[in-house]
Amino acid sequence: MRKIVLAIVALLAMNITVAQTLEELKAEKASKKDSISAIQGRVDAIQGKINAIPGWKKGAFGTIGASLSGFNNWYSKGTPNSSAGNIGITTNAFANLNQPKFFWRNSLNINLGWVKIDDKDIDTDDDSFRSATDVFNITSLYGQKLSEKFAISTLGEYRTTIIDNFNDPGYLDLGVGATWTPIADLVVVIHPLNYNFVFSSEDTVFESSLGAKIVADYTKKLGHVNFKTNLSLFQSYKSADYSNWTWTNSFGYTLWKGIGLGFEFGLRNNRQEALSYAIDNLDVGDPTPTFDSIDNDLQTYWLFGLNYSF
């Protein structure tokens, strides 16, 4: 009986010791996390000072996504013998010059995607990769500073596709106005005097016009995270049918030596492109589409895959 009592006491003492050790380890872990947070805060503060130093700041990040699949005698599918593939590449690059009296900000966004579906039971179908996403956007903004947050500025922005129908359509915005930088890494451009040049072989659909240009861009790098969101809007003074906007969002998380996971999605509204598509895909006998008759559906794209940065 005495041995049993001693064994129980020993077990209780061991459990108490383990519990105390576990609590001590948890407390030590919490203190280490607090220390890491404090160190990261100091690192971020130093990085902020580095970013504020006049001179060039350059960088780039993007996402690569791909998927390939093949089926043989998979009868639950409509095409039991087939292969499919999807490849997408995005790039976000910038080169910004900041000086005490002026700034010059340049950015590039490219999103290219290809897709293929090959029905092996049909010899005449198209088994090649076809373009799915095709975005090319380059922007240059120059500003003469009036203060730390306001500047008189001029903007040039060019948007088109490069896989199919290069510069057909293509959009070139040139304008002047003001730029506001309320916080670090956020740039808001308001140009009430902007001309939207539209280049296209379809002169009856696409038309250049004078209007207002608004751009909001936020690009941030925090440790292993790269983030960029950009809204570009043109409001035509001639007609709302010639207005358009594009909003892109890119996110990248670096895991190892510049490689990680990335996600990008974009939204666009453009009535001229919607009308052009409706005319190009008009069925025989249907009435010719107009701006008033088309469904101007929201355009979207997204890509998830491996992320790279440098």
Side-chain angles (χ1 to χ4, degrees):
M1 185 64 181
R2 182 180 178 185
K3 291 182 179 179
I4 294 174
V5 172
L6 291 174
I8 293 173
V9 172
L11 288 173
L12 290 174
M14 185 181 298
N15 288 335
I16 293 173
T17 302
V18 171
Q20 290 177 339
T21 303
L22 180 59
E23 292 302 322
E24 291 171 356
L25 290 173
K26 287 182 177 180
E28 184 178 357
K29 179 182 177 181
S31 66
K32 296 297 183 182
K33 283 186 175 181
D34 291 340
S35 299
I36 293 173
S37 298
I39 293 172
Q40 187 62 54
R42 292 195 293 271
V43 171
D44 292 341
I46 295 172
Q47 185 63 49
K49 294 179 180 179
I50 293 174
N51 294 338
I53 295 176
W56 282 100
K57 302 293 187 301
K58 304 175 184 178
F61 73 99
T63 300
I64 299 175
S67 66
L68 300 172
S69 61
F71 299 88
N72 291 302
N73 302 320
W74 198 266
Y75 297 116
S76 62
K77 288 175 83 278
T79 53
N81 300 292
S82 62
S83 62
N86 192 319
I87 300 172
I89 301 172
T90 72
T91 297
N92 294 282
F94 65 90
N96 299 330
L97 175 63
N98 185 33
Q99 295 292 341
K101 294 184 178 181
F102 71 92
F103 61 80
W104 184 23
R105 303 177 63 89
N106 304 276
S107 64
L108 171 70
N109 172 254
I110 299 176
N111 187 315
L112 306 177
W114 297 265
V115 63
K116 82 161 188 173
I117 299 177
D118 177 24
D119 188 340
K120 298 177 182 178
D121 296 325
I122 301 177
D123 295 333
T124 58
D125 71 331
D126 186 0
D127 61 354
S128 62
F129 277 95
R130 293 167 292 172
S131 63
T133 307
D134 194 353
V135 177
F136 178 88
N137 189 316
I138 186 168
T139 301
S140 184
L141 173 68
Y142 175 84
Q144 194 72 29
K145 295 181 180 179
L146 301 177
S147 67
E148 284 299 316
K149 296 185 180 297
F150 289 94
I152 299 298
S153 57
T154 180
L155 171 73
E157 180 183 77
Y158 178 67
R159 308 184 307 282
T160 186
T161 56
I162 56 178
I163 301 177
D164 293 325
N165 306 318
F166 175 74
N167 203 41
D168 189 13
Y171 305 89
L172 174 62
D173 280 294
L174 294 175
V176 293
T179 294
W180 178 41
T181 53
I183 60 174
D185 307 306
L186 174 61
V187 178
V188 180
V189 179
I190 303 173
H191 285 179
L193 186 60
N194 181 92
Y195 200 83
N196 179 236
F197 295 91
V198 184
F199 311 101
S200 174
S201 58
E202 298 184 55
D203 295 334
T204 58
V205 176
F206 294 93
E207 185 172 338
S208 304
S209 63
L210 182 69
K213 183 73 174 182
I214 297 176
V215 177
D217 184 276
Y218 184 74
T219 304
K220 188 71 174 179
K221 182 174 182 180
L222 287 173
H224 299 295
V225 177
N226 288 286
F227 176 75
K228 178 181 178 68
T229 181
N230 179 278
L231 173 65
S232 177
L233 181 150
F234 171 73
Q235 181 62 51
S236 174
Y237 293 147
K238 185 173 184 179
S239 171
D241 293 330
Y242 304 137
S243 302
N244 61 78
W245 59 266
T246 301
W247 183 27
T248 57
N249 300 270
S250 304
F251 175 85
Y253 184 79
T254 303
L255 297 173
W256 177 75
K257 292 186 177 181
I259 304 298
L261 296 176
F263 178 72
E264 177 166 317
F265 72 92
L267 307 172
R268 174 182 287 174
N269 185 286
N270 190 311
R271 294 188 66 84
Q272 295 179 92
E273 291 178 352
L275 178 58
S276 175
Y277 178 82
I279 292 175
D280 292 342
N281 292 273
L282 180 65
D283 293 330
V284 177
D286 288 348
T288 302
T290 65
F291 281 118
D292 295 328
S293 65
I294 60 171
D295 292 325
N296 184 29
D297 295 329
L298 182 66
Q299 304 176 45
T300 66
Y301 75 82
W302 64 271
L303 175 68
F304 177 79
L306 291 177
N307 173 261
Y308 63 90
S309 63
F310 52 88

